């Protein structure tokens, strides 16, 4: 069973930065960050695949967010810079064993609130 534990959320003013962390119980090749606002569909923000380090970013965060992972520490990160009020959401760490399967491992979420 893969366990994911997020940390690093909080409140920040627009233009500020936060770094989210996700501790993983085992090495798993595909990991990502999602976010969700109440009443809206969960949105994929960024993901990264171990072989080759291929990354994906949603258009709304390109140039502002950076996803990375420390395989020695089994930890996934999301560095968020130049935060905007519309980035306010619950952020979830997710994992899957292959890019051809669904995201089936999820953390409990960490809240990010950006004030104007």
């Amino acid at each position: 069973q893969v366990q994911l534990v997020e940390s690093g959320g909080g409140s920040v003013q627009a233009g500020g930065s936060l770094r989210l962390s996700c501790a993983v119980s085992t090495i798993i090749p595909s990991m990502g960050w999602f976010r969700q606002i109440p009443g809206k569909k969960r949105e994929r923000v960024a993901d990264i695949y171990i072989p080759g380090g291929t990354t994906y970013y949603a258009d709304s965060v390109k140039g502002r967010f950076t996803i990375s992972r420390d395989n020695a520490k089994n930890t996934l990160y999301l560095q968020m810079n130049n935060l905007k009020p519309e980035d306010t959401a619950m952020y979830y760490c997710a994992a899957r064993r292959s890019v051809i399967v669904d995201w089936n491992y999820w953390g409990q979420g960490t809240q990010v609130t950006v004030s104007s």
Side-chain angles (χ1 to χ4, degrees), residues 45-111:
V45 175
D47 68 51
I48 186 167
Y49 187 58
I50 286 184
T54 305
T55 57
Y56 160 87
Y57 294 96
D59 287 343
S60 57
V61 306
K62 279 181 182 176
R64 300 188 299 123
F65 290 12
T66 303
I67 189 171
S68 62
R69 58 190 296 172
D70 185 333
N71 293 324
K73 296 181 179 180
N74 280 358
T75 303
L76 179 73
Y77 301 100
L78 184 67
Q79 178 66 44
M80 305 186 294
N81 297 328
N82 190 21
L83 282 160
K84 303 176 180 180
E86 50 265 41
D87 294 318
T88 295
M90 183 70 78
Y91 283 71
Y92 297 91
C93 176
R96 55 185 177 179
R97 297 196 180 275
S98 167
V99 297
I100 62 171
V101 300
D102 290 336
W103 298 91
N104 53 357
Y105 302 108
W106 295 88
Q108 80 286 355
T110 185
Q111 178 68 36

Side-chain angles (χ1 to χ4, degrees), residues 13-14 22 26 31 37 73 76 91 102:
Q13 289 192 327
C22 175
T26 186
M31 297 193 66
I37 301 169
K73 296 181 179 180
L76 179 73
Y91 283 71
D102 290 336

